């Protein structure tokens, strides 16, 4: 474990039992005609909630109902519209091969900033005053590379001050500031981390994470239709799933939740109490699962020593690395195309077109399979059938197969798509071979 990761072990202002004060004589938001009291409710909405503009109204209406029913202040953490960050990354990659980290962070964090502004506007349209925050107003401090920084502190003061004037604050997920006050990115898919850090700092006992799946599943339901939804799961089992690449909850978010005594409620959106969906994360039972690491490259080394040295250097760059052995060969995975990774992999060989599938057993063991990417879903289904044979009884409920995950039609709002004039037949072949193809954000 590197020094940078160890910084997570001593976050500021999140010691269990050390709860920030929220009660005021007039109650937060009273000056806006929405008197509320008690510890805030912390809700995180993933990018799938905003796959269309109407999603901002749905989230705003849901938040308005929670505010009216529970009369407690709300902290809403939002992700970028589905597909936005990916489009921004594609645009940057088409422009330069290796952009500076601070430049990449400046661009890639704009997606969440747009979501904050749009949701605040939708809330105000519902008659709910909302205060949109930027990274500097969140109380989150990080260190390390600007485009994949490590969150090291979360202070309640900025959020508490904002809630004193307004019943709802909207926070950009995955953003913090460094020691110089510059906005940094906490890596991809890190809105969970922002939400849990806010909940821990504010003294919230629970943090609700809304996404496009019905809860924590035993496999990716997009790949394994027989995946089951877990009613409850312990922190360690969820951490293992995240560590091997499952996009359920950010691994660091699990760490912050356990240290801060925050119970996680992973739910689909839209969600209702009567539906009975979702997963509670805390002191529950363990679970077995299958994880497919789709967006990472597999690299092989001559020895475990070489792999360990490379892994330490890559983690020092803020990269998520998974070490494993297959057929007697020392291997690791690195996010595909990650900036700065190749300098540390000169002694390794990349296995092109290969995907890692990991079966996490009931005994805490992990079995790894390296298969062609085209066969990853089939291998995941085979592994899952071994872990969860169809025997009935008290097995977890099966997840309904979700619809295809689509990008928001508005995910190009920050980049746009250049419209091309019709080309004569003899020019089309040449045009198709250009680096950007006239459209740096393909579907």
């Amino acid at each position: 474990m590197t020094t940078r990761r160890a910084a997570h072990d001593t976050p500021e202002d999140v010691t269990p039992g050390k709860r920030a004060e929220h009660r005021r004589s007039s109650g937060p938001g009273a000056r806006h005609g929405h008197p509320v009291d008690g510890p805030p409710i912390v809700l995180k909405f993933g990018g799938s909630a905003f796959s269309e503009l109407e999603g901002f109204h749905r989230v705003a209406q849901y938040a308005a109902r929670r505010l009216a029913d529970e009369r407690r202040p709300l902290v809403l953490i939002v992700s970028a519209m589905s597909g936005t960050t990916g489009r921004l990354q594609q645009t940057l990659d088409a422009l330069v091969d290796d952009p500076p980290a601070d430049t990449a962070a400046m661009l890639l964090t704009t997606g969440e900033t747009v979501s904050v502004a749009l949701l605040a506007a939708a809330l105000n349209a519902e008659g709910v005053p909302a205060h949109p925050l930027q990274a500097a107003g969140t109380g989150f401090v990080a260190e390390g590379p600007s485009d994949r920084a490590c969150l090291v502190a979360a202070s309640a003061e900025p959020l508490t001050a904002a809630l004193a004037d307004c019943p709802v604050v909207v926070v950009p997920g995955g953003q913090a500031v460094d020691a110089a006050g510059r906005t940094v990115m906490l890596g991809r898919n890190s809105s969970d981390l922002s939400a849990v850090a806010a909940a821990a700092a504010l003294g919230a006992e629970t943090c609700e994470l809304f996404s496009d799946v019905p809860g924590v599943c035993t496999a990716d339901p997009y790949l394994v239709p027989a995946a089951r939804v877990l009613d409850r799961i312990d922190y360690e089992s969820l951490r293992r799933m995240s560590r091997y690449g499952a996009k359920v909850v950010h691994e660091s978010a699990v760490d912050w939740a356990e240290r801060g005594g925050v119970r996680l409620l992973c739910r689909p959106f839209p969600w209702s109490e009567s539906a009975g969906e979702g997963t509670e994360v805390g002191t529950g039972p363990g679970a077995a699962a299958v994880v497919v690491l789709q967006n990472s490259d597999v690299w092989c080394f001559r020895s475990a020593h070489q792999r360990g040295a490379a892994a330490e250097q890559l983690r020092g760059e803020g990269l998520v690395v998974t070490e494993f052995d297959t057929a007697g060969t020392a291997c690791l995975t690195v996010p595909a195309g990650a900036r700065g990774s190749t300098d540390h992999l000169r002694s390794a060989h990349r296995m092109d077109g290969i995907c890692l599938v990991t079966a996490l057993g009931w005994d805490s063991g992990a079995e790894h399979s390296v298969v062609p990417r085209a066969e990853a879903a089939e291998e995941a289904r085979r592994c899952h059938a071994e872990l969860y044979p169809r025997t009935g009884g008290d097995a977890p409920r099966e997840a309904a197969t979700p619809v295809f995950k689509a990008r928001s039609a508005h995910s190009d709002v920050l980049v746009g798509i250049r419209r091309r004039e019709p080309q004569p037949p003899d020019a089309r072949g040449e045009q198709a071979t250009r680096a950007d193809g006239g459209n740096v954000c393909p579907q």
Side-chain angles (χ1 to χ4, degrees):
M1 187 170 289
T2 66
T3 302
R4 190 180 315 286
R5 186 177 292 273
H8 285 180
D9 294 338
T10 55
E12 299 176 6
D13 300 329
V14 293
T15 305
K18 182 181 179 182
R19 302 301 185 182
E21 289 293 332
H22 308 291
R23 298 181 182 273
R24 301 179 187 277
S25 59
S26 58
R31 71 182 63 183
H32 288 284
H34 289 77
V36 291
D37 201 4
I41 300 171
V42 181
L43 312 175
K44 171 259 176 178
F45 296 92
S48 59
F50 311 119
S51 59
E52 54 191 36
L53 285 183
E54 184 59 30
F56 289 96
H57 288 296
R58 283 194 292 268
V59 171
Q61 290 162 4
Y62 177 75
R65 288 197 300 271
R66 292 290 296 267
L67 184 67
D69 292 345
E70 302 185 45
R71 303 184 69 81
R72 290 165 56 192
L74 301 180
V75 177
L76 309 180
I77 288 81
V78 297
S79 300
M81 290 182 284
S82 181
T84 299
T85 307
R87 285 177 181 261
L88 292 169
Q89 183 68 66
Q90 290 170 355
T91 303
L92 187 59
D93 291 342
L95 183 67
V96 293
D97 290 333
D98 190 16
D102 55 350
T103 300
M106 178 180 289
L107 177 67
L108 298 179
T109 54
T110 54
E112 286 76 17
T113 302
V114 168
S115 290
V116 167
L118 292 177
L119 182 56
L123 284 161
N124 277 275
E126 294 294 327
V128 178
H131 186 68
L133 297 181
Q134 295 181 323
T138 62
F140 302 150
V141 179
E143 61 182 26
S146 299
D147 57 344
R148 44 180 183 255
C150 171
L151 184 65
V152 295
S155 172
E157 288 186 17
L159 294 176
T160 302
L163 289 170
D165 294 327
C166 201
V168 180
V169 297
V170 187
V171 176
Q175 296 185 22
V177 296
D178 61 14
R182 296 171 299 192
T183 298
V184 297
M185 184 180 183
L186 301 175
R188 297 289 295 271
N189 306 307
S190 54
S191 292
D192 293 337
L193 176 55
S194 297
V196 175
L202 289 168
E205 295 182 355
T206 61
C207 177
E208 301 175 41
L209 308 175
F210 293 97
S211 67
D212 58 347
V213 292
V216 176
C217 299
T218 54
D220 185 343
Y222 288 98
L223 301 177
V224 182
R228 301 174 179 184
V229 184
L230 300 167
D231 292 322
R232 298 170 60 234
I233 187 173
D234 67 339
Y235 292 118
E236 180 54 32
S237 295
L238 184 61
R239 183 183 294 110
R240 290 174 64 224
M241 294 170 65
S242 300
R243 183 178 303 134
Y244 284 103
K247 293 183 178 179
V248 281
V249 178
H250 194 283
E251 182 182 353
S252 294
V254 182
D255 294 338
W256 280 70
E258 185 171 23
R259 283 194 300 268
V262 178
R263 184 169 53 108
L264 305 180
L265 301 177
C266 301
R267 294 168 168 170
F269 187 81
W271 181 84
S272 64
E273 190 73 39
S274 60
E277 296 179 304
T279 302
E280 178 181 329
V281 182
T283 57
V290 177
V291 180
V292 179
L293 200 53
Q294 293 180 295
N295 299 318
S296 291
D297 292 328
V298 176
W299 294 80
C300 298
F301 295 79
R302 295 188 185 91
S303 68
H305 175 74
Q306 284 186 338
R307 179 188 62 189
E312 183 176 2
Q313 292 172 331
L314 291 165
R315 291 189 178 111
E317 294 280 352
L319 292 168
V320 177
V321 175
T322 300
E323 298 179 66
F324 67 98
D325 296 321
T326 180
T329 302
C331 303
L332 60 72
T333 63
V334 182
R339 177 188 56 77
S341 62
T342 55
D343 291 342
H344 307 298
L345 296 168
R346 299 189 187 282
S347 63
H349 167 69
R350 186 176 69 184
M351 300 177 67
D352 293 330
I354 295 299
C355 185
L356 175 64
V357 179
T358 301
L360 301 172
W362 295 95
D363 60 353
S364 299
E367 294 186 5
H368 305 287
S369 303
V370 178
V371 299
R373 291 186 187 277
E375 300 174 12
E378 180 181 355
E379 175 67 9
R381 290 192 288 267
R382 184 193 67 78
C383 293
H384 189 272
E386 292 184 357
L387 292 174
Y388 290 94
R390 293 178 177 273
T391 58
D394 297 328
R397 62 188 186 279
E398 287 195 4
T401 303
V403 297
F404 179 73
K405 185 179 294 186
R407 287 174 170 172
S408 167
H410 302 277
S411 60
D412 59 354
V413 64
L414 293 168
V415 179
I417 298 179
R418 185 172 60 189
R419 299 185 182 278
R420 290 177 290 177
E421 296 298 326
Q423 298 292 320
D426 62 344
R428 289 175 184 164
E430 178 183 355
Q431 183 187 49
T433 63
R434 291 171 47 205
D436 62 354
N439 180 354
V440 297
C441 299
Q443 292 286 349

